[in-house]
C-alpha cells in the first residue's frame, strides 16, 4: 500500500518524504480546504522539483499530490484559471478535487496528470465509483463513513479503480467534512477552507426548565432539550440528551496502525494520514510509524525492529483513538472531550553538518542549555543527551539558551544526522 502524508508547508513536505512517505499532499493558496495551513506559493516549486529529483536519483521516487478540494464558486473558477500557468511549475502527479466543475479545466491544461476524487465528495458506493471512473478519475479517496466490508465490495466491483482511505488523524462529525456548524456559528465556511473547528468547543444541554423553555416550546423546534455553546449563552440548538458542558460533536481520532493488514485485504491501495495543519513533529513521527508498520507487513523488517517506532506514534499529539467506521459505526459515533494529549515538546531540528559533531540547530521553542533532550531520526531510536553545547554561530560564544529566530550551533558527541528532530519531555504529560 502507498503511504500518503500531509504537507502543510515546504518544511513538512521535506520531513514527510524523509521519514518514509511514498507521497505527500499539499495545498496551493486559496484553493485548498486548509486555508490556515501555510500552503505553497511563490517559487517554492523550485525546491520541490529539486527534492523530487534527488529522491528519484536515489531510486526512491516520491509523488506530489495537490489538493484543490474547495467548493468552487464562479469567481473561484476564474481565479483558478488565472493561476494555471503558475500551477504548471509544480511537479504535480495528481490533483485531489471534490468539485467536478474543475475537471474539464484540469484535463485541458494537465492532460497527463491524474485526477483523484476528494473524500469531500462523499463517495461511498459502487455506482458512484463507476460514475467517477467514467469521468476520468483514477483514484477515489473514499468517505470516512465506509466500513472495510464496503471497501471490499467496491474493489471487487471496480477493481481497476485505486482506493485511498484515511488511516490516521482527526475525523469530522459531519459526512466527510460537509459541516455547517462553523459557518453558522462564526461565518467561516468549512467548505471553503475556513473551518473554525466549532465541533471541538464545549456545549451543555439545557432542559425546558433550564432557560430554553420558550424556545423549545415553539412549533419550529418542538424538542425538549437544546445545546448551548459555552461562549454563546442564550443561543440554543435542539438535541436529544446530555448533561453539563461537553464536546458533544468532537469525534475521536482514527488510528488504524494495528489493522493495516485488514485494510490491505479489503482492497485499499493507499493509506492516508490526516493533518496538513498539524506540526512537523506530528508529520514526521506518524509517517515513520506507518512506514515501519508497512515495512513489517511487507517482510522488510521484523516485529522487534518495527515495534519501537510504532509505539512512538503515541508520543504525538492526539485525541482518544478509535477505528472510525471501519468495523462498526458504534465506535465512530462516540465523542471525546479535552484537548489533544502529548508527551513531548519539539524544540527544533538539526540542520546542516558544519564539522564533526557540530551541526546547525534550527530552534522552534526555547531550549535552556543542560535540559535533557532527545534526538529523533527516520531510522533511529531516541538518543538522549544532556551534555550538548549551544553556541552562537557568529561569535562562537556559548549560549545559555536559544529560541525561535536565534541562530545556533549544537555540539554533541551523539551519532546524529541532518534532519533529526530535537525534543524534550513535556513538563506535565497531559494524557
Amino acid at each position: 500500500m502507498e503511504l500518503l502524508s500531509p504537507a502543510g508547508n515546504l518544511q513538512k513536505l521535506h520531513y514527510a518524504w524523509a521519514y518514509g512517505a511514498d507521497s505527500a499532499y499539499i495545498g496551493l493558496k486559496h484553493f485548498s480546504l486548509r486555508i490556515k495551513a501555510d500552503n505553497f506559493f511563490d517559487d517554492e516549486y523550485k525546491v520541490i522539483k529539486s527534492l523530487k529529483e534527488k529522491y528519484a536519483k536515489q531510486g526512491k521516487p516520491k509523488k506530489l499530490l495537490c489538493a484543490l478540494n474547495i467548493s468552487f464558486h464562479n469567481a473561484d473558477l476564474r481565479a483558478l484559471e488565472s493561476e494555471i500557468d503558475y500551477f504548471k511549475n509544480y511537479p504535480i502527479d495528481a490533483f485531489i478535487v471534490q468539485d467536478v466543475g474543475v475537471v474539464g479545466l484540469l484535463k485541458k491544461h494537465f492532460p497527463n496528470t491524474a485526477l483523484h476524487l476528494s473524500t469531500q465528495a462523499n463517495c461511498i458506493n459502487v455506482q458512484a465509483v463507476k460514475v467517477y471512473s467514467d469521468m476520468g478519475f483514477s483514484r477515489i479517496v473514499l468517505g470516512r463513513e465506509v466500513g472495510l466490508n464496503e471497501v471490499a465490495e467496491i474493489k471487487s466491483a471496480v477493481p481497476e479503480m485505486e482506493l485511498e482511505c484515511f488511516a490516521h488523524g482527526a475525523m469530522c462529525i459531519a459526512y466527510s467534512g460537509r459541516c455547517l456548524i462553523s459557518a453558522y456559528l462564526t461565518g467561516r465556511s468549512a467548505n471553503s477552507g475556513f473551518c473554525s473547528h466549532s465541533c471541538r468547543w464545549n456545549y451543555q444541554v439545557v432542559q425546558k426548565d433550564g432557560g430554553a423553555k420558550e424556545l423549545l416550546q415553539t412549533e419550529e423546534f418542538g424538542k425538549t432539550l437544546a445545546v448551548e455553546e459555552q461562549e454563546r449563552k442564550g443561543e440554543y440548538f435542539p438535541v436529544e440528551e446530555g448533561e453539563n458542558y461537553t464536546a458533544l460533536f468532537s469525534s475521536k481520532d482514527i488510528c488504524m496502525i494495528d489493522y493495516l493488514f485488514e485494510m490491505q485485504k479489503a482492497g485499499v491501495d493507499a493509506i492516508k494520514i490526516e493533518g496538513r495543519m498539524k506540526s512537523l513533529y506530528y508529520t514526521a513521527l506518524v509517517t515513520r510509524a506507518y512506514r515501519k508498520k508497512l515495512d513489517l507487513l511487507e517482510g522488510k523488517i521484523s516485529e522487534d525492529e518495527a515495534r519501537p517506532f510504532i509505539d512512538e506514534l503515541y508520543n504525538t499529539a492526539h485525541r482518544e483513538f478509535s477505528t472510525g467506521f471501519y468495523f462498526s459505526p458504534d465506535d465512530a459515533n462516540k465523542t471525546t472531550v479535552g484537548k489533544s494529549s502529548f508527551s513531548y515538546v519539539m524544540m527544533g531540528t538539526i540542520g546542516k553538518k558544519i564539522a564533526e559533531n557540530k551541526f546547525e540547530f534550527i530552534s522552534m521553542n526555547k531550549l535552556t542549555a543542560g535540559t535533557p533532550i532527545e534526538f529523533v531520526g527516520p531510522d533511529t531510536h531516541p538518543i538522549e543527551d544532556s551534555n550538548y553545547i549551544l553556541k552562537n554561530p557568529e561569535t562562537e560564544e556559548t549560549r545559555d539558551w536559544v529560541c525561535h529566530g536565534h541562530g545556533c550551533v549544537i555540539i554533541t558527541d551523539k551519532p546524529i544526522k541532518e534532519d533529526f528532530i530535537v525534543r524534550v519531555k513535556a513538563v506535565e504529560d497531559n494524557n
Side-chain angles (χ1 to χ4, degrees):
M1 289 187 292
E2 177 183 328
L3 176 57
L4 180 59
S5 293
N9 59 32
L10 186 59
Q11 189 181 30
K12 292 175 188 177
L13 173 65
H14 177 80
Y15 274 80
W17 281 343
Y19 279 66
D22 299 304
S23 306
Y25 60 103
I26 69 171
L28 297 178
K29 288 290 185 182
H30 309 305
F31 304 109
S32 161
L33 277 181
R34 292 295 178 263
I35 293 293
K36 291 174 69 178
D38 294 340
N39 290 315
F40 291 74
F41 55 96
D42 293 340
D43 61 353
E44 292 181 330
Y45 60 86
K46 296 178 181 178
V47 180
I48 297 175
K49 281 182 176 179
S50 177
L51 199 55
K52 281 196 74 176
E53 290 170 359
K54 183 191 79 169
Y55 280 108
K57 290 178 181 178
Q58 294 174 352
K60 303 175 182 178
K62 303 290 185 179
K63 292 182 181 179
L64 182 73
L65 280 57
C66 178
L68 298 177
N69 54 352
I70 66 168
S71 297
F72 284 81
H73 290 271
N74 290 326
D76 296 321
L77 285 172
R78 290 191 290 269
L80 174 62
E81 191 159 22
S82 71
E83 296 282 353
I84 287 294
D85 287 340
Y86 172 69
F87 285 6
K88 289 180 179 179
N89 291 317
Y90 283 83
I92 296 170
D93 295 289
F95 287 106
I96 307 170
V97 302
Q98 69 149 318
D99 192 330
V100 295
V102 303
V103 170
L105 187 64
L106 294 176
K107 283 185 175 181
K108 175 183 176 182
H109 293 282
F110 302 90
N112 299 316
T113 304
L115 290 175
H116 293 181
L117 185 73
S118 171
T119 189
Q120 301 295 126
N122 309 128
C123 186
I124 57 175
N125 66 71
V126 169
Q127 295 305 318
V129 171
K130 290 181 177 179
V131 169
Y132 286 116
S133 178
D134 291 341
M135 294 176 63
F137 285 87
S138 61
R139 177 181 294 185
I140 304 293
V141 186
L142 291 170
R144 293 176 225 197
E145 298 75 28
V146 296
L148 287 183
N149 60 327
E150 294 175 295
V151 175
E153 185 178 356
I154 291 171
K155 191 65 176 180
S156 176
V158 197
E160 69 276 12
M161 179 63 74
E162 293 181 359
L163 300 181
E164 179 179 308
C165 293
F166 280 90
H168 194 90
M171 280 207 310
C172 183
I173 196 68
Y175 250 90
S176 291
R178 290 197 172 189
C179 178
L180 298 177
I181 299 176
S182 175
Y184 188 82
L185 291 180
T186 69
R188 291 168 51 183
S189 173
N191 297 310
S192 294
F194 290 100
C195 184
S196 59
H197 301 282
S198 310
C199 59
R200 306 296 181 185
W201 298 349
N202 288 327
Y203 298 80
Q204 74 168 343
V205 174
V206 182
Q207 298 181 354
K208 277 187 177 182
D209 57 1
K213 181 176 181 180
E214 183 177 350
L215 173 74
L216 295 177
Q217 285 181 333
T218 64
E219 186 175 323
E220 179 182 1
F221 291 100
K223 302 286 184 179
T224 59
L225 299 173
V227 291
E228 179 187 43
E229 199 273 316
Q230 191 169 17
E231 302 301 324
R232 289 168 173 75
K233 298 186 185 300
E235 296 184 30
Y236 304 108
F237 309 93
V239 292
E240 293 183 359
E241 63 181 3
E243 60 182 25
N244 300 324
Y245 282 108
T246 186
L248 290 171
F249 313 115
S250 183
S251 302
K252 295 180 181 179
D253 286 357
I254 298 175
C255 179
M256 290 292 288
I257 198 162
D258 292 328
Y259 304 99
L260 297 190
F261 173 76
E262 287 80 358
M263 296 185 77
Q264 187 178 52
K265 185 178 179 181
V268 175
D269 297 289
I271 58 170
K272 190 170 196 171
I273 298 169
E274 178 273 341
R276 273 187 290 143
M277 289 175 58
K278 293 182 179 176
S279 70
L280 179 156
Y281 180 77
Y282 169 93
T283 298
L285 265 69
V286 174
T287 297
R288 187 181 69 167
Y290 278 86
R291 174 77 275 150
K292 298 302 182 183
K293 185 57 181 279
L294 287 173
D295 288 348
L296 171 62
L297 288 179
E298 294 170 8
K300 296 178 180 179
I301 59 177
S302 68
E303 170 70 27
D304 288 342
E305 290 172 311
R307 180 50 54 187
F309 298 104
I310 295 171
D311 290 343
E312 279 284 337
L313 177 74
Y314 302 97
N315 287 327
T316 62
H318 63 87
R319 299 179 184 87
E320 189 177 358
F321 283 141
S322 77
T323 54
F325 289 86
Y326 286 121
F327 298 107
S328 168
D330 294 340
D331 197 20
N333 289 334
K334 295 175 182 177
T335 58
T336 187
V337 297
K339 298 180 180 179
S340 298
S341 61
F342 56 91
S343 303
Y344 289 87
V345 177
M346 181 176 174
M347 291 290 103
T349 59
I350 298 300
K352 293 181 179 180
K353 183 175 182 178
I354 300 170
E356 191 65 26
N357 298 331
K358 188 175 183 181
F359 293 82
E360 176 188 16
F361 175 54
I362 305 168
S363 177
M364 295 181 179
N365 286 299
K366 183 178 179 181
L367 174 64
T368 301
T371 301
I373 62 175
E374 293 182 6
F375 297 109
V376 177
D379 299 297
T380 61
H381 300 157
I383 303 170
E384 298 180 356
D385 191 5
S386 298
N387 298 317
Y388 59 90
I389 299 173
L390 304 175
K391 284 185 174 290
N392 185 314
E394 297 179 0
T395 65
E396 287 293 323
E397 293 178 340
T398 299
R399 287 190 182 280
D400 294 325
W401 58 272
V402 64
C403 66
H404 179 67
H406 289 192
C408 186
V409 167
I410 188 167
I411 299 174
T412 175
D413 60 358
K414 305 303 179 184
I416 66 173
K417 298 178 181 179
E418 295 178 3
D419 296 332
F420 273 35
I421 290 170
V422 179
R423 71 184 185 185
V424 300
K425 289 186 177 179
V427 174
E428 181 179 351
D429 191 336
N430 59 355
N431 277 298

